[in-house]
């Protein structure tokens, strides 16, 4: 009986993993959430660094991928922009993937609320989603379904800047000419 329950738990874990992300078990889930009954995922190779690995945007129903950018496993500096900010009260950021005249922008924000009276911990509240831009005009704006909040990963600014090598405050740097 114990072996049967263990097998069921493993099968259930695989099913839950498969339903919440397009990433394989050998990839790092950078971000994943459900929007309009489809899944938005950002998947990266385990060896992603400033010089190696890959990062991809994937969108569609599980098992029926509609969009993957880039199509090949290439380093993200060719088609990806990212920035994230973190403070004591929370964090926000974006990762965008460009394909032709389209831009797919995954954004997130979170902040600490008051303490939870039942257990004394702070509660993370946040809003994440996907914005699709065509020829510099926003054509779609999806928020992650509230039921998928557990699937939305906080994208660690340290990971993006220090481990992957995306420059910090890229927008501010370009505006200042640096």
């Amino acid at each position: 009986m114990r072996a049967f329950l263990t097998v069921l738990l493993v099968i259930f874990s695989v099913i839950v993993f498969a339903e919440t992300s397009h990433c394989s078990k050998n990839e790092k889930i950078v971000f994943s959430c459900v929007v309009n009954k489809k899944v938005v995922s950002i998947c990266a190779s385990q060896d992603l660094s400033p010089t190696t690995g890959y990062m991809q945007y994937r969108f569609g129903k599980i098992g029926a991928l509609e969009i993957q950018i880039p199509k090949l496993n290439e380093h993200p500096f060719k088609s990806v922009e990212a920035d994230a900010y973190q403070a004591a009260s929370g964090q926000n950021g974006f990762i965008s993937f460009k394909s032709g005249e389209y831009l797919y922008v995954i954004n997130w924000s979170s902040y600490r609320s008051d303490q939870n009276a039942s257990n004394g911990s702070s509660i993370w509240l946040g809003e994440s989603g996907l914005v699709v831009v065509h020829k510099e005009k926003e054509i779609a704006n999806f928020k992650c379904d509230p039921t998928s909040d557990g699937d939305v990963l906080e994208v660690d600014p340290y990971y993006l800047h220090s481990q992957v090598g995306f420059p910090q405050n890229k927008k501010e740097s370009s505006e200042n000419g640096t």
Side-chain angles (χ1 to χ4, degrees):
M1 182 66 167
R2 177 178 264 168
F4 177 72
L5 291 175
T6 302
V7 170
L8 281 178
L9 180 62
V10 169
I11 291 170
F12 179 73
S13 298
V14 169
I15 290 169
V16 169
F17 178 79
E19 290 178 354
T20 60
S21 169
H22 290 293
C23 304
S24 75
K25 65 180 180 178
N26 298 325
E27 293 176 314
K28 179 179 178 84
I29 302 172
V30 177
F31 179 94
S32 194
C33 81
V34 177
V35 295
N36 288 359
K37 298 182 182 179
K38 295 184 181 184
V39 177
V40 175
S41 297
I42 300 175
C43 308
S45 60
Q46 293 291 338
D47 67 340
L48 184 59
S49 75
T51 57
T52 62
Y54 65 89
M55 181 185 287
Q56 289 180 322
Y57 164 83
R58 299 174 187 164
F59 177 83
K61 291 183 178 182
I62 296 299
L65 200 59
E66 296 173 28
I67 301 170
Q68 178 175 297
I69 304 170
K71 293 194 183 296
L72 301 175
N73 293 347
E74 61 185 33
H75 199 273
F77 290 163
K78 294 180 180 181
S79 59
V80 180
E81 282 192 36
D83 207 352
Y85 309 91
Q86 186 158 353
S89 60
Q91 63 174 265
N92 63 38
F94 75 91
I95 300 177
S96 65
F97 293 78
K98 187 167 178 67
S99 178
E101 296 177 336
Y102 289 89
L103 187 65
Y104 302 88
V105 182
I106 293 84
N107 56 71
W108 66 92
S109 66
S110 62
Y111 60 92
R112 290 195 183 274
S113 70
D114 295 332
Q115 281 193 335
N116 182 335
S118 65
N119 65 15
S121 68
S122 295
I123 302 169
W124 279 96
L125 303 172
E127 189 170 88
S128 303
L130 166 67
V131 175
V132 181
V133 177
H134 180 246
K135 295 182 179 180
E136 299 185 17
K137 181 180 178 187
E138 184 178 306
I139 60 171
N141 189 337
F142 303 105
K143 299 296 177 209
C144 293
D145 290 347
T147 58
S148 73
D149 280 348
D151 305 325
V152 175
L153 304 179
E154 298 303 327
V155 183
D156 183 8
Y158 175 81
Y159 172 75
L160 290 176
H161 300 308
S162 301
Q163 292 183 290
V164 181
F166 285 106
Q168 292 186 22
N169 303 324
K170 188 170 187 174
K171 186 175 181 180
E172 289 177 16
S173 297
S174 64
E175 289 173 355
N176 294 331
T178 56

